[in-house]
């Protein structure tokens, strides 16, 4: 078979000359660790989401760990997370010594299901971690209602959905705390990086204190999770483009939707999505992935593996691991099709051609 003339990777950061200039300026200044740029990035991110403040971290995973720690969560506590999520979320809960309790997702939007959460709440539940997956909001208001006056804290994981809104209000502003990731494949990037955001002055101070490892009279465990100033400069420059990035993601999704309508296939069109992932339902997932890749389009599974599929996780829990039918269905059927702002019109057109080939074969 002839090699395709275009190769479309699953994602690619959109780094422009102005981003390079911003990083270069900081590198040349000689002040490259965590400083002024990090503080400005924290201020600009929290202003963007509409919260009091932020603490930049080395990754989304460290941001989750820091947030859980600031909430005082540890041994003997339970934290509810969806099973249909990346393993880093599970790990971050484990760092604290708390027990991650898995919940199922919804078939509509594939976010953690409020009904499943209600089943998993116990006397030990201290926190519900709510990732807004693939760019579309989880039912955060219902989840807040379930938590009610119980004292159960809510952390929103906006790693895939920063910039999305519910009723004009930004995701990340609903829970007690929010976390972001700026990993290379995310909505915008600092290479590796993350942030904790919160409206609480007290929690902000707790996070800062947990990161401070020197200049203390009394020793306590601290976490060196800092972002560098040159990463923050990249983040600040990228944040200025975030709304444009989201617009382009939605534009590409609209083009794919039209292709599917023409094929007589109803596209998913998740509500309020910023299309971190363009998701499609397939009857023969592995065959679609293989065929698309052969043609030069790197489609894939939007979640590598649900947590309850890892035998190590099953054995350490001894729970009934058959209780996640929606996650099972999502894992078996969902395909993501590349949709990111670094895609040119030509690449999008090429991808549309491959979608037509795949869905008419
Ligand atoms: C990427 C991601 C994380 C982890 O972020 P890192 O920066 O890679 O550590 C956590 N949660 C979700 C939903 C993610 O997509």
């Amino acid at each position: 078979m002839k090699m395709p003339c275009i190769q479309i990777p699953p994602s690619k950061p959109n780094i422009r000359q102005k981003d390079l200039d911003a990083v270069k300026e900081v590198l040349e200044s000689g002040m490259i660790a965590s400083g002024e740029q990090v503080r400005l990035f924290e201020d600009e991110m929290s202003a963007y989401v509409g919260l009091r403040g932020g603490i930049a971290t080395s990754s989304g995973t460290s941001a989750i760990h820091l947030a859980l720690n600031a909430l005082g969560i540890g041994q003997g506590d339970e934290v509810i997370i969806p099973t249909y999520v990346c393993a880093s979320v599970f790990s971050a809960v484990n760092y604290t010594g708390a027990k991650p309790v898995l919940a199922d997702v919804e078939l509509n939007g594939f976010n953690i299901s409020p009904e499943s959460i209600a089943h998993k709440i116990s006397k030990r539940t201290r926190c519900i971690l709510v990732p807004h997956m693939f760019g579309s909001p989880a039912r955060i208001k219902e989840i807040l209602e379930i938590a009610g006056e119980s004292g159960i804290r809510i952390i929103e994981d906006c790693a895939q959905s920063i910039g999305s809104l519910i009723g004009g209000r930004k995701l990340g502003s609903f829970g007690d705390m929010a976390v972001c990731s700026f990993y290379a494949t995310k909505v915008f990037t600092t290479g590796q990086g993350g942030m904790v955001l919160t409206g609480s002055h007290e929690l902000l101070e707790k996070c800062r204190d947990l990161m401070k490892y020197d200049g203390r009279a009394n020793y306590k465990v601290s976490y060196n999770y800092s972002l560098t100033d040159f990463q923050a400069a990249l983040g600040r420059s990228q944040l200025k483009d975030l709304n444009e990035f989201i617009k382009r993601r939605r534009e590409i999704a609209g083009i794919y939707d039209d292709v599917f309508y023409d094929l007589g296939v109803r596209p998913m069109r998740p509500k309020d999505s910023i299309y971190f992932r363009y998701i499609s339902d397939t009857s023969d997932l592995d065959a679609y992935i293989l065929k698309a890749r052969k043609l030069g389009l790197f489609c894939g599974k939007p979640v590598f593996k649900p947590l309850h599929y890892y035998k190590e996780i099953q054995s350490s829990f001894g729970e009934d691991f058959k209780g996640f039918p929606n996650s099972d269905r999502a894992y078996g059927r969902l395909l993501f099709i590349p949709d990111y702002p670094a895609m040119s019109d030509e690449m999008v057109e090429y991808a549309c051609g491959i979608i037509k080939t795949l869905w008419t074969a």
Side-chain angles (χ1 to χ4, degrees):
M1 189 184 122
K2 196 160 93 29
M3 273 300 284
C5 50
I6 301 184
Q7 292 276 341
I8 302 174
S11 79
K12 190 177 172 229
N14 199 16
I15 308 287
R16 297 159 167 172
Q17 187 59 46
K18 66 163 186 86
D19 299 313
L20 301 178
D21 293 343
V23 175
K24 185 165 178 275
E25 193 180 317
V26 175
L27 287 174
E28 285 175 348
S29 77
M31 306 285 281
I32 63 174
S34 176
E36 173 86 24
Q37 290 296 316
V38 165
R39 275 193 298 278
L40 290 167
F41 185 37
E42 289 169 345
D43 290 348
E44 287 160 9
M45 272 301 291
S46 47
Y48 181 83
V49 176
L51 286 170
R52 181 190 292 266
I55 294 99
T57 59
S58 52
S59 71
T61 311
S62 52
I64 298 172
H65 181 215
L66 193 67
L68 289 168
N69 234 300
L71 292 171
I73 287 158
Q75 203 113 40
D77 298 332
E78 291 181 358
V79 177
I80 298 177
I81 63 173
T83 183
Y84 191 57
V85 75
C86 52
S88 84
V89 175
F90 187 78
S91 287
V93 176
N94 279 325
Y95 296 167
T96 67
K99 180 185 168 186
V101 172
L102 306 183
D104 203 3
V105 295
E106 306 185 86
L107 280 181
N108 183 7
F110 308 103
N111 280 308
I112 190 166
S113 140
E115 292 76 17
S116 182
I117 289 173
H119 278 113
K120 299 287 178 153
I121 285 182
S122 81
K123 282 199 296 264
R124 291 175 179 263
T125 307
R126 289 281 316 281
C127 178
I128 305 166
L129 206 146
V130 182
H132 300 286
M133 297 297 284
F134 312 150
S136 64
R139 278 158 64 199
I140 188 72
K141 287 184 180 168
E142 275 124 300
I143 295 169
L144 287 166
E145 266 169 39
I146 290 171
E149 303 297 311
S150 64
I152 296 173
R153 314 303 287 267
I154 309 287
I155 299 177
E156 294 182 74
D157 180 344
C158 301
Q160 303 193 356
S161 300
I162 192 72
S164 177
L165 305 132
I166 300 174
R169 193 168 144 194
K170 291 254 166 54
L171 295 191
S173 65
F174 292 87
D176 294 286
M177 304 181 93
V179 294
C180 306
S181 166
F182 312 119
Y183 181 65
T185 61
K186 299 295 161 90
V187 186
F188 74 93
T189 188
T190 62
Q192 300 260 22
M195 198 173 287
V196 177
L197 296 160
T198 177
S200 156
H201 177 70
E202 189 197 336
L203 290 172
L204 267 180
E205 289 309 307
K206 275 200 179 139
C207 287
R208 286 206 197 291
D209 186 59
L210 284 164
M211 299 256 288
K212 182 178 149 98
Y213 65 80
D214 226 345
R216 290 177 183 284
N218 302 309
Y219 172 77
K220 74 182 235 182
V221 175
S222 63
Y223 303 93
N224 189 358
Y225 282 163
S226 297
L227 196 72
T228 69
D229 256 18
F230 55 96
Q231 288 176 293
L234 178 57
R236 293 182 66 207
S237 180
Q238 290 259 297
L239 177 59
K240 292 196 180 82
D241 296 334
L242 176 54
N243 288 338
E244 185 198 321
F245 286 175
I246 292 171
K247 197 164 153 242
R248 177 64 174 160
R249 284 181 180 275
R250 286 182 167 149
E251 184 178 68
I252 295 170
I255 294 168
Y256 291 163
D257 282 351
D258 288 343
V259 171
F260 279 112
Y261 282 126
D262 286 348
L263 289 165
V265 177
R266 198 154 64 92
M268 289 196 159
R269 302 183 53 77
K271 198 170 176 296
D272 298 317
S273 185
I274 62 161
Y275 290 97
F276 173 69
R277 293 289 192 213
Y278 185 92
I279 305 283
S280 206
D281 188 52
T282 61
S283 51
D284 192 354
L285 182 56
D286 291 328
Y288 276 68
I289 291 174
L290 210 68
K291 208 163 158 192
R293 289 197 183 172
K294 276 193 187 140
L295 295 167
L297 184 67
F298 280 66
C299 297
K301 296 176 185 181
V303 168
F304 176 70
K305 192 153 91 165
L307 296 167
H308 70 283
Y309 279 68
Y310 289 91
K311 69 176 188 320
E312 297 79 8
I313 292 177
Q314 293 174 359
S315 60
S316 70
F317 271 73
E319 276 182 36
D320 177 10
F321 274 86
K322 296 195 177 65
F324 307 100
N326 295 348
S327 299
D328 292 342
R329 188 186 159 87
Y331 180 54
R333 293 187 63 98
L334 297 189
L335 177 81
F336 78 80
I337 300 170
D339 173 350
Y340 46 87
M343 282 180 83
S344 64
D345 290 343
E346 190 196 13
M347 287 161 84
V348 175
E349 204 185 306
Y350 190 76
C352 289
I354 294 174
I355 294 170
K356 282 177 202 156
T357 307
L358 287 174
W359 262 264
T360 46

